[in-house]
């Protein structure tokens, strides 16, 4: 943690808009799709992964600095754009890591084109209507409280966001959830047309769930495990929904042992 | 002049603490309809409907309804039900709907059918206004906030088309698709279609949209100075559009309670601010939910990331807390100034009443007297209210006015006393004033056929006038 | 017994040729609302609404409304508007909606809110029925036919939940999504919710569904024998569910016109089949569009009731779209009937619109008089016929369908007056004598369990519901 790679920032033209990307490391390509709150720059998880892989961290269309595609209405639209990004960048055999909502998009991608994706990692991913429990609805609570619920406890939340009230992070989330509301307002954070396609996805898949996830019920993880033919599930004991914040090294190790 | 009556039809339930001084919070998202007593609801609906008939008897020209969802401050959850009833139980008054919440309809053809039927049954007395709804309404019918304004405009266009274009035709818009629009009904009013009024509080978009369509714009209980400024903006857009907006294009709604004595009027008027009053209005006991006021994309905002955040993201180390804290301190004052936490722009509502409910009594008292002083509430005997009404008419020059009464904690008796005095002593005098001041109502001079004037300089900028332009913010 | 009144509120416009013997075709998809005269519409709506108030005065227990879209045979394009009005302009009658067209609502929470409001304003007099709608309705509100039955069921479940489950709750069904169901209103009737009645003509699915929910099922002007079979099917499902269906569970609607003399009754009754009558009914002048009747996936074709076998229903349900010649729907319908080998080709033979169908219509009218689907006469002569229907079908609710087709306001009022003075009291006596208990005398939803119901086969039942 004392030294870190400085990621390169660049943009890619896609469907008439710009995708902003941070990228570092070398080795087999690894694409990380961010939470619905957006990526907060280059973080310890990415850094750790960059030790073994070429890590590509895009702002998904409509999030943060990437152009908002006015026509998009469904996470599946984002999945299509992200597959176009892979193809445009000439990336194959990619390890695809989706965090939270990014995992939903990643699962959609996997159903469409298994050839470009070598390994799949879904971390606390929604996308399926939970057999038990409900996905926490970020539209009906204060967005700071939504983030707070992503952590295992208040203390950890405070460690990361001690002055959230006045933080720019908060404005970024507020900005980003407009895109979430455009593509994922209803049904909220799942797609009824996704589960029937999952049995056809043979990509080796790692499912990671924080034991104390209060945002996306673990029943969804079990459902993914049941539907995907090559999936295993790892529970991170000490984490809530935001495993990448709370246990970046553990998560990185899990991903690395699964990745190409 | 068109003179109307309005109440929000509060759900007045002493038992459940939604009424009077029980101190129960009526903040959105904190209530359960398990507390709803439908026997009481039956009494209240029938009371409010009967009062409407009495309004006609005492000489009002119009009765106005509004609609809100999942809230006790307004029982008009399906205002069109009430509109249908008064279409049959009254025979002269205009039925003003301010308004149906266009964007929350997934299938707005129902509105075209419903309102055409009501217009026929009333024999052409419907005035059908449109609103965008607040966060409460978007959530109750689960309509996507980011498309609220686009859906408002398209739903309006669809309804007008269903009323004016011979069917069958196909409609394939951005948000609505129909393969066969051919309802077997048409509105009674066909010149060109039922009169519309558009109510609002502060959205410039809506004012401009109303002015472009030549629809009368009604300001809802706003203070006089900003109201005047909004009307000026309407006139400005009208001139850009090539017509001069007159009194028939503007309306004003405010609180007026008349009573038998000055003291009774003062004490009864205080009830405007008691009970389940509209939480958006000054001095209300209710509390606005910051979450609902801040739904993503409900209000217009830049599609560009605010510059402050750009700097933040550019820092390659992501969570650089020191840098974040530094930049946040600079913005702290500005952020704190906002009553609603984290709202990017508080455009949906006027400054919300401050959150904590402590000391509400004192705040309410001060607010009541202040509102009396600034004319947003007028109380008194017929003799004393008339000069105050005159002041409002002279200042704003509206062609339509709506007296908002019988609200908050006011009882049926309070309401009936006021209505009776309105009828015997206030309305005739108000109509005389209006004649004297030349306040022409929209039924005396059709606002939609306002004659053309030489367009102003800005009208030359044709692209800016494209109907859809404001939607594409 | 519950005795109600019904009319479809036809759009009677002599000028546009949609009324009387002008011969104008009123086939669906062939009309434009440019012909609609809103001044006339105003008169007709007010006439029909005023007649409803008179029904109450005459002693009817109930007034029934229905809804159709984009058609002149029924002005109830938004029936709930009429229901709202009579909730305030009447004070005793039950307001029976048969029914709101659930599947065409993209946002059925509006129905929960609207109907709860109406139930309160009426102080608990709402009887809210549900229908699936036909092709006409699916097209008018552009609702996908293949999901019609699923949406019917889910929308119903949502409305009931909104009425009975304390809010707020989330609803994530197959077809409807809500993040916050908590309407600030509840129905007046809460035992457990407003009474429901389910009307139907041909769908076995719907009968079974109604029986499973213990909702009274009302057959709409179907012939006596197949109607009886359908009620038998209801009772059979009821026994499977573990209860015995009684008269409170079944209702019947049919055409009855009473008049001052036998001749006047006969001649006025003929007007049922003139003007813009319901094109689905025997002898109607209207023509059902085979295209609309044959929308992809709208009906489950293997699940028709015995009533569906009657030729005219089969024809009007558009079994003829394999025949490309849509311009001759009647011929096509006739051929389809032949192909299907509809039993008892007693159904009205299709008549070509070009030539006055007087002969065909007369035959049909007399035939319907003979088979009791139309009854006309003086009070004295209609009563034995009504008794025959009551004895045969044993319904706890009956609805007299009158004032329709080409009948004028005067025709309607004469009949209503005679109903009040001479028919209704006698019918109610018959009802008592025959033990025809109404759903308001004995709550159909509280029918006690019986032994020996085949309820054990729960999974099979569930599968059937999924059809």
């Amino acid at each position: 943690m004392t030294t870190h790679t400085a990621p390169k920032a660049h943009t890619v033209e896609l469907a008439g808009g710009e995708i902003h990307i941070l990228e570092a490391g070398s080795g087999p390509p690894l694409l990380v799709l961010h939470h619905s709150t957006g990526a907060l720059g280059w973080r310890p998880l990415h850094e750790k992964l960059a030790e073994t892989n070429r890590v590509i961290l895009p702002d998904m269309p409509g999030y943060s600095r990437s152009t908002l595609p006015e026509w998009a209405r469904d996470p599946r639209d984002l999945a299509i754009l992200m597959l176009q990004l892979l193809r445009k960048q000439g990336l194959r055999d990619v390890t695809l890591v989706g965090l939270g909502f990014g995992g939903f998009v990643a699962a959609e991608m996997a159903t469409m084109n298994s050839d470009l994706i070598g390994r799949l990692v879904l971390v606390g991913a929604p996308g399926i209507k939970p057999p038990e429990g409900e996905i926490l609805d970020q539209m009906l609570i204060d967005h700071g409280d939504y983030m707070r619920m992503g952590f295992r406890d208040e203390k950890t939340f405070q460690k990361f966001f001690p002055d959230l009230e006045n933080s720019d992070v908060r404005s970024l989330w507020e900005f980003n959830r407009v895109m979430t509301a455009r593509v994922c307002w209803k049904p909220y954070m799942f797609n009824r047309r996704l589960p029937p396609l999952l049995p056809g996805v043979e990509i080796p898949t790692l499912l990671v769930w924080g034991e104390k996830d209060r945002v996306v019920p673990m029943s969804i993880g079990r459902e993914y495990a049941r539907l995907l033919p090559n999936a295993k599930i790892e529970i991170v004991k000490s984490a809530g929904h935001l495993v990448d914040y709370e246990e970046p090294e553990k998560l990185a190790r899990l991903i690395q042992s699964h990745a190409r | 002049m068109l003179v109307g009556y309005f109440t929000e039809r509060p759900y007045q339930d002493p038992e459940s603490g939604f009424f009077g001084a029980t101190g129960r919070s009526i903040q959105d998202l904190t209530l359960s309809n398990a507390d709803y007593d439908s026997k009481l609801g039956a009494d209240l609906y029938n009371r409010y409907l009967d009062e409407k008939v009495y309004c006609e008897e005492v000489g009002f020209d119009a009765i106005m309804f509004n609609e809100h969802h999942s809230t006790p401050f307004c029982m008009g959850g399906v205002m069109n039900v009430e509109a249908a009833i008064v279409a049959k139980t009254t025979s002269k008054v205009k039925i003003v709907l301010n308004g149906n919440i266009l964007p929350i309809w997934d299938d707005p053809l129902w509105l075209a059918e419903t309102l055409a039927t009501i217009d026929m049954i009333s024999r052409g007395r419907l005035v059908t206004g449109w609103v965008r709804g607040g966060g409460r309404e978007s959530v109750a019918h689960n309509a996507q906030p980011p498309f609220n304004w686009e859906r408002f405009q398209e739903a309006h266009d669809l309804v007008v088309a269903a009323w004016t274009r011979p069917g069958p035709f196909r409609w394939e818009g951005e948000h609505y698709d129909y393969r066969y629009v051919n309802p077997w009904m048409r509105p009674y009013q066909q010149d060109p279609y039922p009169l519309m009024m558009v109510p609002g509080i502060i959205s410039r978009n809506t004012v401009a949209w109303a002015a472009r369509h030549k629809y009368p714009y009604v300001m809802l209980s706003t203070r006089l100075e900003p109201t005047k400024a909004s009307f000026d903006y309407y006139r400005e857009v009208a001139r850009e559009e090539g017509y001069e907006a007159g009194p028939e294009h503007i309306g004003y709604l405010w609180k007026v309670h008349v009573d038998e004595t000055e003291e009774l009027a003062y004490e009864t008027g205080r009830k405007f601010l008691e009970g389940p009053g509209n939480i958006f209005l000054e001095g209300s006991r209710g509390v606005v939910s910051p979450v609902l006021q801040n739904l993503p994309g409900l209000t217009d905002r830049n599609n560009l990331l605010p510059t402050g955040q750009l700097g933040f993201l550019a820092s390659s180390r992501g969570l650089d807390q020191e840098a974040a804290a530094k930049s946040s301190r600079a913005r702290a004052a500005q952020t704190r100034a906002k009553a609603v936490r984290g709202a990017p722009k508080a455009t949906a509502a006027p400054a919300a009443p401050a959150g904590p409910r402590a000391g509400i009594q004192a705040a309410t008292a001060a607010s009541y007297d202040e509102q009396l002083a600034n004319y947003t509430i007028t109380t008194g005997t017929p003799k004393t209210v008339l000069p105050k009404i005159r002041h409002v008419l002279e200042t704003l020059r509206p062609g339509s006015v709506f007296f908002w009464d019988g609200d908050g904690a006011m009882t049926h008796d309070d309401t009936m006393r006021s209505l009776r005095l309105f009828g015997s002593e206030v309305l005739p005098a108000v109509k005389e004033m209006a004649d004297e001041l030349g306040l022409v109502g929209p039924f005396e001079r059709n606002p939609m056929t306002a004659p053309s004037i030489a367009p102003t300089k800005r009208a030359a900028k044709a692209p800016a006038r494209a109907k859809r332009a404001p939607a594409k913010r």
Side-chain angles (χ1 to χ4, degrees), chain A, chain B:
Chain A
M1 286 295 289
T2 46
T3 61
H4 64 271
T5 44
K8 287 187 315 232
H10 64 105
T11 62
V12 174
E13 197 74 14
L14 205 59
E18 270 188 351
I19 303 293
H20 277 250
I21 293 173
L22 292 179
E23 190 173 332
S26 58
L30 187 150
L31 184 78
V32 182
L33 298 183
H34 57 72
H35 291 278
S36 66
T37 42
L40 294 182
W42 196 256
R43 305 204 49 254
L45 171 71
H46 313 113
E47 196 169 305
K48 206 77 196 156
L49 293 172
E51 290 171 5
T52 52
N53 288 73
R54 174 185 169 196
V55 176
I56 302 149
L57 174 65
D59 289 337
M60 286 196 283
Y63 289 89
S64 300
R65 290 161 296 184
S66 293
T67 316
L68 184 141
E70 300 248 357
W71 50 270
R73 292 290 184 276
D74 192 303
R76 197 167 271 187
D77 295 331
L78 300 184
I80 293 166
L81 287 169
M82 290 296 93
L83 280 173
Q84 289 189 356
L85 176 72
L86 292 185
R87 199 170 292 115
K88 194 151 187 175
Q89 296 294 90
L91 300 169
R92 296 188 64 81
D93 211 15
V94 174
T95 296
L96 176 59
V97 178
L99 308 172
F101 172 70
F104 180 0
V105 176
E108 293 278 11
M109 289 169 72
T111 64
M112 293 176 210
N113 192 330
S114 301
D115 301 341
L116 298 182
I117 304 162
R119 293 282 189 273
L120 181 63
V121 183
L122 306 180
V123 185
I128 299 176
K129 185 182 166 187
E132 290 163 44
E134 286 184 336
I135 300 168
L136 183 68
D137 187 353
Q138 65 176 291
M139 306 301 170
L140 286 189
I141 58 173
D142 175 273
H143 214 53
D145 291 340
Y146 176 65
M147 208 57 189
R148 177 175 276 114
M149 292 292 283
F151 288 89
R152 60 187 163 225
D153 54 28
E154 177 66 17
K155 207 178 97 199
T156 316
F157 170 72
Q158 287 297 338
K159 191 183 108 197
F160 282 91
F161 302 105
D163 187 23
L164 184 64
E165 206 55 30
N166 299 315
S167 160
D168 290 331
V169 173
R170 195 187 166 88
S171 304
L172 180 73
W173 291 339
E174 296 287 349
F175 179 85
N176 278 334
R177 74 195 189 117
V178 174
M179 186 60 189
T180 307
R182 291 176 74 97
V183 297
C184 213
W185 178 260
K186 78 175 176 181
Y188 179 66
M189 285 290 171
F190 67 88
N191 180 0
R192 295 182 182 90
R193 296 164 292 144
L194 175 60
L197 299 175
L198 293 173
V201 176
E202 291 180 349
I203 304 167
T205 301
L206 171 68
L207 303 162
V208 182
W209 241 262
E211 188 191 26
K212 295 170 180 166
D213 194 326
R214 294 181 286 174
V215 176
V216 178
M218 204 182 294
S219 65
I220 293 179
R222 286 189 219 102
E223 194 66 3
Y224 271 119
R226 189 177 70 81
L227 291 167
L228 289 163
N230 287 313
K232 58 178 178 182
I233 186 160
E234 290 282 353
I235 310 294
V236 180
K237 277 202 164 19
S238 42
H241 177 63
L242 298 167
V243 186
D244 53 313
Y245 281 79
E246 295 179 316
E247 298 293 345
E249 299 197 16
K250 270 189 202 167
L251 179 58
R253 275 199 302 278
L254 284 169
I255 293 170
Q256 281 159 333
S257 66
H258 179 71
R260 296 275 183 180
Chain B
M1 169 177 279
L2 184 80
V3 186
Y5 169 83
F6 173 73
T7 164
E8 295 224 42
R9 296 92 78 216
Y11 177 77
Q12 298 181 337
D13 183 2
E15 301 261 326
S16 63
F18 291 121
F19 176 64
T22 60
R24 177 161 175 175
S25 167
I26 61 164
Q27 183 172 356
D28 284 315
L29 301 180
T30 67
L31 304 174
S32 166
N33 63 4
D35 286 329
Y36 193 96
D37 175 351
S38 60
K39 307 290 176 281
L40 177 65
D43 289 341
L44 288 168
Y45 275 116
N46 280 285
R47 163 188 156 192
Y48 294 132
L49 288 164
D50 293 339
E51 288 171 1
K52 295 292 186 300
V53 175
Y54 190 61
C55 287
E56 175 168 277
E57 285 174 29
V58 303
F60 278 96
D61 304 322
I63 47 182
M64 185 200 270
F65 294 92
N66 69 333
E67 177 163 319
H68 282 287
H69 289 260
S70 294
T71 174
F73 75 69
C74 171
M75 290 179 69
V78 190
M79 168 186 66
N80 294 339
V81 164
E82 299 165 276
I85 290 170
V86 297
K88 189 69 184 160
T89 61
T90 65
S91 59
K92 294 193 303 284
V93 286
K94 304 294 178 191
I95 301 160
V96 181
L97 308 183
N98 262 348
N100 273 289
I101 305 159
L102 287 171
I104 68 172
W105 281 87
D106 289 334
D107 177 0
L109 189 66
W110 283 112
L111 288 174
E113 294 178 305
T114 301
L115 297 172
T117 306
I118 293 173
D119 195 42
M120 278 189 278
I121 292 170
S122 73
R123 299 189 193 273
R125 293 184 286 125
L126 188 68
V127 178
T128 172
W130 312 113
V131 301
R132 295 177 56 184
R136 182 186 309 101
E137 283 68 43
S138 293
V139 161
H141 281 272
N142 214 14
Q144 275 175 290
F147 305 124
N148 181 282
W149 179 229
E150 284 176 33
R151 282 165 64 105
F152 175 92
Q153 294 170 89
E154 188 181 329
H156 162 272
D157 295 349
L158 168 69
V159 169
V160 169
W163 285 349
T164 55
R165 277 172 62 183
F169 60 87
R170 209 184 283 198
W171 183 274
E172 289 166 342
E174 287 297 311
H175 296 280
Y176 302 110
D177 287 286
Y178 295 91
R179 52 173 23 84
Y180 185 79
V181 181
N182 191 26
W184 197 254
M185 49 191 41
R186 297 175 83 78
Y188 194 90
Q189 298 169 76
Q190 298 192 349
D191 184 26
Y193 46 75
L195 184 66
M196 296 186 182
M197 282 192 184
V198 179
I201 300 176
I202 54 173
S203 163
R204 278 171 73 88
N205 268 351
T206 314
V207 179
W209 182 88
R212 285 195 194 98
H213 286 83
K214 302 185 178 175
Y215 296 157
Y217 185 75
V218 184
M219 291 289 280
L220 305 180
S221 207
T222 41
R223 297 191 181 199
L224 293 189
E225 279 314 306
T227 304
K228 204 160 181 282
S230 294
F231 290 161
D232 287 344
Y233 179 57
Y234 185 106
R235 291 191 193 95
E236 186 186 319
V237 177
R239 276 188 292 272
E240 285 176 32
E241 288 291 309
Y243 73 97
E244 193 66 51
E248 71 269 31
H249 290 95
I250 61 176
Y252 184 57
L253 162 83
W254 81 108
K255 289 171 172 156
V256 181
H257 179 76
V258 197
D259 223 319
E260 288 156 2
T261 67
E262 212 52 48
E263 296 66 36
L264 191 55
Y266 180 82
E267 284 313 317
T268 310
R270 184 189 294 284
K271 296 185 187 176
F272 274 127
L273 307 183
E274 293 165 355
N278 187 321
I279 56 187
F280 288 101
L281 295 160
E282 293 191 289
S284 160
R285 283 183 58 234
V287 184
V288 176
S289 158
V291 173
L292 288 186
Q293 285 315 105
N294 194 29
L295 287 181
L298 184 60
T299 51
D300 296 312
R301 59 189 297 173
N302 288 329
N303 270 339
L304 297 174
L305 193 58
T307 45
Q309 282 74 281
L310 277 173
F312 168 78
L313 275 185
S315 116
S316 64
R317 277 294 296 184
L319 269 190
D320 184 336
Q321 289 170 15
E322 199 183 324
K326 203 182 292 170
S327 101
S328 71
R329 273 193 294 278
R331 294 165 7 98
Q334 177 200 345
T335 310
R336 272 194 292 273
K338 285 184 239 168
V340 177
R341 196 158 59 146
K345 265 193 263 168
T347 48
R357 301 184 39 77
I360 197 87
Q361 288 299 56
T364 306
S367 176
Y368 177 50
D369 285 334
E370 191 198 39
Q371 288 183 72
L372 288 174
N374 73 21
Y375 290 89
T376 53
I377 296 181
T378 298
T379 67
T381 59
K383 201 177 146 188
T384 59
V385 298
L386 281 170
K388 294 175 194 163
I389 291 173
R390 186 178 181 103
H391 173 75
V392 172
L393 299 187
E394 284 175 349
T395 308
L396 299 178
R397 298 195 51 78
S400 308
V401 294
F402 299 91
F403 297 130
W404 181 350
D405 197 4
D407 217 291
M410 290 187 193
T411 64
H412 177 61
D413 285 347
D414 295 334
T415 305
M416 295 298 275
R417 283 200 314 278
S418 189
L419 288 176
R420 183 169 47 77
L421 291 166
F422 263 117
S424 58
E425 296 175 60
V426 178
L427 298 181
V430 168
K431 285 176 189 179
E432 265 176 41
M433 281 179 209
D435 287 345
E436 181 198 330
L437 296 170
L439 300 179
V440 179
F443 288 95
E444 297 158 84
R445 197 160 63 201
N446 187 337
M448 294 192 65
T449 52
S452 297
I453 57 168
T456 60
K457 239 188 332 196
R458 288 163 65 179
K461 293 197 300 181
R465 287 182 53 197
K467 285 251 156 72
R468 287 282 171 175
K472 296 288 178 198
R473 295 288 302 254

